[in-house]
Amino acid sequence: MSDDPGVPAGGGDQRALVARLRAVIEAKDTEIAVLRAELDVAGEQSRRLELRVAELERRLGSDSTNSGVPPSKDPIGARERRKAERKKDRQSSERERRKDRKRGGQPGHPGAGLSRDPDPDEQVQVPPPVQCSGCGAGLAGAERAGTWWSQVTDVRITRFVVEYLLPLLACPCCGKVNAAQPPP
């Protein structure tokens, strides 16, 4: 006899116990099979939902810059976002350019300005400067230091070139050479 109240004592009782255990095991096997089938269905649903979410995210992120959609169909904030990104990119590139070099022609770059026309249509003598552009002293009676030129190309009915002969005067006070200004 067994001390345990749930366990039968005799040999016939053991057969009943084994039969009962087999029935429990079969029930558990059936339950496991059902749960596995449900798990497979849930896994398939999860995979489909992940694909759908990925497609919706792709659609949400598409605008006229990365799809065939016209700009009028862009989401409300897309235009402002692109504008802000372009401004940020432009500012960073300007900062980089300012660090590297100054604006305009770089040292060693050959100039591409207009050359002096050797045969101007008209030459005009310009009066000398009245005062020094460096110190402001008067240039009356100052010694002539040479002549500079300035050409203006203008169009009447035919092309003509006016050459202004600009006198250079050396300042008697500081020695700075001053050029007359051509007429406007």
Side-chain angles (χ1 to χ4, degrees):
M1 259 284 306
S2 169
D3 294 338
D4 221 356
V7 177
D13 292 338
Q14 286 181 350
R15 283 189 196 122
L17 180 62
V18 168
R20 203 169 106 209
L21 288 175
R22 282 189 181 142
V24 168
I25 290 173
E26 282 182 30
K28 295 290 182 188
D29 286 345
T30 305
E31 185 180 0
I32 289 172
V34 168
L35 290 174
R36 282 190 177 154
E38 289 175 0
L39 182 64
D40 289 344
V41 168
E44 180 63 24
Q45 283 180 336
S46 173
R47 188 183 66 77
R48 286 182 184 167
L49 289 174
E50 285 176 2
L51 290 173
R52 185 173 179 197
V53 167
E55 173 64 16
L56 291 174
E57 286 177 346
R58 185 192 65 79
R59 284 186 194 174
L60 187 61
S62 69
D63 57 17
S64 61
T65 61
N66 56 12
S67 67
V69 177
S72 62
K73 299 290 184 187
D74 278 349
I76 293 172
R79 184 177 301 150
E80 288 79 15
R81 186 179 64 244
R82 281 195 310 269
K83 190 175 180 181
E85 287 173 1
R86 282 194 306 265
K87 183 177 180 182
K88 180 181 161 194
D89 291 344
R90 188 172 50 247
Q91 285 174 344
S92 65
S93 67
E94 285 174 2
R95 252 186 255 115
E96 290 296 320
R97 184 179 35 174
R98 270 187 256 139
K99 280 194 272 183
D100 293 344
R101 58 186 176 181
K102 292 184 178 179
R103 293 184 129 183
Q106 301 301 306
H109 183 272
L114 295 174
S115 60
R116 184 176 183 183
D117 189 337
D119 186 27
D121 298 317
E122 185 180 345
Q123 277 191 339
V124 176
Q125 188 72 31
V126 176
V130 177
Q131 69 182 43
C132 177
S133 62
C135 67
L139 296 175
E143 182 181 326
R144 190 174 185 129
T147 303
W148 186 241
W149 60 271
S150 174
Q151 290 186 341
V152 176
T153 303
D154 202 351
V155 178
R156 291 186 185 161
I157 293 185
T158 61
R159 179 181 175 269
F160 70 98
V161 177
V162 176
E163 180 176 282
Y164 296 99
L165 301 175
L166 308 173
L168 300 175
L169 297 179
C171 177
C173 180
C174 67
K176 179 173 170 53
V177 175
N178 296 278
Q181 297 297 316

